[in-house]
Amino acid sequence: MWDPVKYLDYADLRARPFHDLVARIPAEAPRRVVDLGCGPGNLTAGLAERWPDAIIEASDSSPEMVEAARSRGVDARVLDVNDWVPEPDTDVVISNAVLQWVPEHRDLLRRWVDLLPSEAILAFQVPGNFDAPSHALTRALARTDEWAPRLAGVVLRENEAVDSPLGYGTLLADAGCAVDAWETTYLQRLSGEDAVLEWITGTALRPVKEVLHGEDWDRFRAQLARKLDEAYPPRPDGTTWFEFRRIFVVAVVA
């Protein structure tokens, strides 16, 4: 279950890739703009400001996120991204930090390109930091003798969950698209105690939190916090540097 409140911790920093992605979308007056995986809707609202005459279609697989989006005035619905089918007037599709949760998303991208109208724009970004200490240490701890039995079946993403800019560029160019693909590593300056732990609690640690409860969850967090403090030592002023690599793609359908 997604926690909209926890997800919005560091909301400004989490929003940077979304804004950078949208800034590269070359659409002047789209008829319909779709936000797949709209989350709590705090970013979806900006799409209406960018394209005030467009129909804004928003969805998320999490009922909690959709409820939060609706509370912000976003007309969102609960929908699994695998089940989405574009309306004939869909000119822009945006997927922000969603496809890494969909193992078959490469096939999904091909299907969307086949269904979208000519000159429609497909824009998405995914995390590219699954080999970073924040994620590698989480996986290593989950596989220890203490935690492996409790976390059997929990999927913690590895780098194979996403492709490189070259991989996505090749896939979509072969599908006939004009492709702009790139990557960016943001150097985030986080504040507060156990800053990296708090950052990943709202995202990468979500599958663990769904299984562990009470004292087990507190103990796992405490063990991981010690490891993360060694990998990401706090600065004398109490802040912590965190490298945040993202992969971006903007593809125009032929």
Side-chain angles (χ1 to χ4, degrees):
M1 182 174 68
W2 284 95
D3 181 347
V5 175
K6 189 63 184 176
Y7 183 80
L8 287 172
D9 284 353
Y10 306 108
D12 290 345
L13 295 178
R14 292 192 191 279
R16 289 177 65 190
F18 177 88
H19 294 310
D20 288 348
L21 176 69
V22 172
R24 297 278 280 270
I25 297 176
E28 295 297 329
R31 295 166 295 174
R32 180 183 296 267
V33 176
V34 180
D35 187 1
L36 296 176
C38 65
N42 57 309
L43 300 175
T44 311
L47 301 178
E49 296 175 4
R50 164 91 184 263
W51 295 295
D53 296 326
I55 298 170
I56 305 298
E57 176 186 330
S59 62
D60 199 283
S61 63
S62 165
E64 295 79 16
M65 288 294 196
V66 167
E67 182 180 355
R70 288 175 177 167
S71 73
R72 288 181 167 83
V74 175
D75 185 18
R77 59 175 172 151
V78 178
L79 180 70
D80 188 306
V81 70
N82 289 288
D83 298 327
W84 177 74
V85 177
E87 296 291 341
D89 62 348
T90 301
D91 289 328
V92 175
V93 181
I94 299 168
S95 173
N96 183 58
V98 173
L99 296 179
Q100 73 274 12
W101 299 104
V102 184
E104 66 278 11
H105 71 263
R106 295 163 183 81
D107 293 334
L108 202 58
L109 291 170
R110 295 186 187 94
R111 177 156 64 86
W112 290 348
V113 169
D114 288 340
L115 295 173
L116 286 167
S118 177
E119 298 187 2
I121 298 167
L122 173 59
F124 63 91
Q125 69 91 7
V126 291
N129 60 338
F130 295 111
D131 282 345
S134 55
H135 292 64
L137 289 171
T138 300
R139 293 193 299 267
L141 180 59
R143 291 166 180 163
T144 60
D145 291 342
E146 178 180 2
W147 296 111
R150 295 177 174 88
L151 296 175
V154 172
V155 177
L156 295 173
R157 304 297 169 188
E158 305 196 34
N159 254 16
E160 291 74 13
V162 299
D163 216 327
S164 64
L166 176 61
Y168 287 124
T170 300
L171 183 155
L172 290 165
D174 288 348
C177 298
V179 184
D180 179 16
W182 72 99
E183 67 177 72
T184 298
T185 298
Y186 300 90
L187 185 59
Q188 311 282 41
R189 195 170 188 177
L190 307 182
S191 59
E193 187 176 358
D194 296 329
V196 174
L197 176 66
E198 295 300 331
W199 176 279
I200 66 173
T201 293
T203 53
L205 279 185
R206 185 180 62 87
V208 175
K209 189 176 182 181
E210 289 181 350
V211 174
L212 299 182
H213 307 284
E215 293 181 358
D216 283 345
W217 169 241
D218 292 339
R219 191 165 70 256
F220 186 92
R221 273 177 52 91
Q223 293 176 13
L224 184 58
R226 291 193 293 271
K227 296 176 182 297
L228 292 174
D229 278 348
E230 293 177 3
Y232 302 94
R235 292 165 45 83
D237 64 0
T239 62
T240 303
W241 289 121
F242 180 65
E243 291 184 314
F244 188 53
R245 178 175 175 257
R246 314 300 285 187
I247 297 164
F248 300 80
V249 179
V250 175
V252 181
V253 177

